Amino acid sequence: MMCIIWTLVLLVAIIPRPGGGTVVDLTHTYGPDVLYPPIGPGGTADMFNFTIMHRGYEPSLDAWLEINWFGVFEHGSTHVDAPAHYAQGRAHLHEIPVEQLIGPGVMIDITDKAKHDKDYLLTIQDILAWEEDHAQIPQASIVMLNTGKHKLYPNRKLFYGTETPDDMTTYHNPGVNPDTAKWLIQNRQVKAFGTDAHSCDPGQNSNRNRCHEEFLPNGVILLEFVANLDRMPPVNSTIFLGPMKMRDGSGGPCRILAIYGEDIAGVSAGNAMSFSILLSTSALVLNLLL
Ligand SMILES: [Zn+2]
């Protein structure tokens, strides 16, 4: 009995406490200025419907009350593409496994290359050079591509790189070479791939969205219009994805957080391991003593 009590006392004393890490919000604010491709039923109109139903003092409750109605396009602003978006029979939004919504974060910065070539395609060589500078991309990572586009959001013309943003054929944005997408799936088993542009497929490459065709049928979810990528570190972060759990959605708005720093990110991996070793050692010692 004493052994159990002592073990519990020790457990409370050494359990890692959060606080001290840094949380970065990788999400644009959803509002009337939301960016989306002009492919909805009403073209560029009515893609964000936010109607105030009540805002004011409500006598029956004797309290302030706010209630709104909203309707949005699945693929506007910061959002997730579910595998079903480009693959028949694959997971819809509500079917994405929760394990896929959290993982080691990787940020690959191609802003310099994108400045010189607005339709730049990420190559396998870029990935290998990045790994040379940092470390091999961990298995089952959430990889983010920083093209610099997030700084242009929500200016429609600057973001899409065109004077005619209602015409998608005029878009200019960096993306990913389809061979690189295939390589990341086969060799690094990425679980999610994100970009701060509106798509991982480049604006001017072809009519086919070949990276969508590589990633989504292989179960890799995509993140588009990701914000604040210049504020997350290249390595040693944990990314949390919070997409709406909408039945049969092909995609949907998503809150994305990157967390780095010893006290928060470390709890899930290194600290948990040292915690369990310390706990079992303590229990063994106390068993011998009592
Ligand atoms: Zn999408």
Side-chain angles (χ1 to χ4, degrees), residues 183-241:
W183 189 90
L184 281 168
I185 297 163
Q186 290 175 351
N187 296 285
R188 296 295 179 266
Q189 291 79 40
V190 295
K191 64 167 71 171
F193 186 91
T195 172
D196 56 355
H198 79 283
S199 171
C200 58
D201 283 291
Q204 290 295 304
N205 195 33
S206 83
N207 289 329
R208 297 274 298 269
N209 289 319
R210 293 191 181 279
C211 288
H212 280 66
E213 293 174 24
E214 291 291 343
F215 282 125
L216 294 171
N218 281 292
V220 179
I221 58 177
L222 296 175
L223 308 154
E224 294 163 338
F225 295 101
V226 180
N228 297 325
L229 283 179
D230 58 335
R231 295 192 204 162
M232 73 170 280
V235 291
N236 296 329
S237 70
T238 300
I239 292 182
F240 295 87
L241 308 174

Side-chain angles (χ1 to χ4, degrees), residues 73-76 79-82 85 198 212 222 224-225 250-252:
F73 176 53
E74 285 179 333
H75 297 267
H79 72 276
V80 162
D81 282 359
H85 184 39
H198 79 283
H212 280 66
L222 296 175
E224 294 163 338
F225 295 101
S250 75

Side-chain angles (χ1 to χ4, degrees), residues 36-194:
Y36 43 80
I39 56 174
T44 55
D46 202 28
M47 299 293 254
F48 179 71
N49 178 346
F50 184 89
T51 305
I52 296 174
M53 296 171 67
H54 192 287
R55 182 171 293 188
Y57 175 73
E58 172 52 47
S60 65
L61 298 172
D62 189 21
W64 178 268
L65 180 67
E66 293 193 16
I67 304 178
N68 312 298
W69 177 275
F70 77 95
V72 295
F73 176 53
E74 285 179 333
H75 297 267
S77 190
T78 309
H79 72 276
V80 162
D81 282 359
H85 184 39
Y86 262 71
Q88 188 177 19
R90 297 305 298 260
H92 288 92
L93 206 53
H94 72 290
E95 297 164 320
I96 296 173
V98 289
E99 295 77 14
Q100 208 168 352
L101 302 179
I102 177 171
V106 164
M107 190 276 289
I108 299 172
D109 187 345
I110 60 162
T111 51
D112 280 345
K113 287 183 171 166
K115 269 179 204 158
H116 295 105
D117 179 357
K118 52 192 178 181
D119 301 305
Y120 186 75
L121 297 179
L122 181 74
T123 65
I124 296 170
Q125 199 52 45
D126 288 332
I127 305 270
L128 295 174
W130 183 94
E131 291 189 336
E132 191 79 14
D133 289 343
H134 300 94
Q136 183 168 311
I137 294 174
Q139 235 192 1
S141 287
I142 297 175
V143 176
M144 296 291 190
L145 182 66
N146 179 6
T147 73
K149 284 281 186 183
H150 63 275
K151 293 188 174 175
L152 304 175
Y153 191 99
N155 185 312
R156 187 173 293 273
K157 287 184 180 176
L158 289 179
F159 187 88
Y160 291 124
T162 174
E163 285 298 310
T164 52
D166 284 344
D167 179 0
M168 289 180 73
T169 63
T170 65
Y171 285 12
H172 288 279
N173 65 275
V176 178
N177 187 303
D179 288 341
T180 313
K182 198 179 293 184
W183 189 90
L184 281 168
I185 297 163
Q186 290 175 351
N187 296 285
R188 296 295 179 266
Q189 291 79 40
V190 295
K191 64 167 71 171
F193 186 91

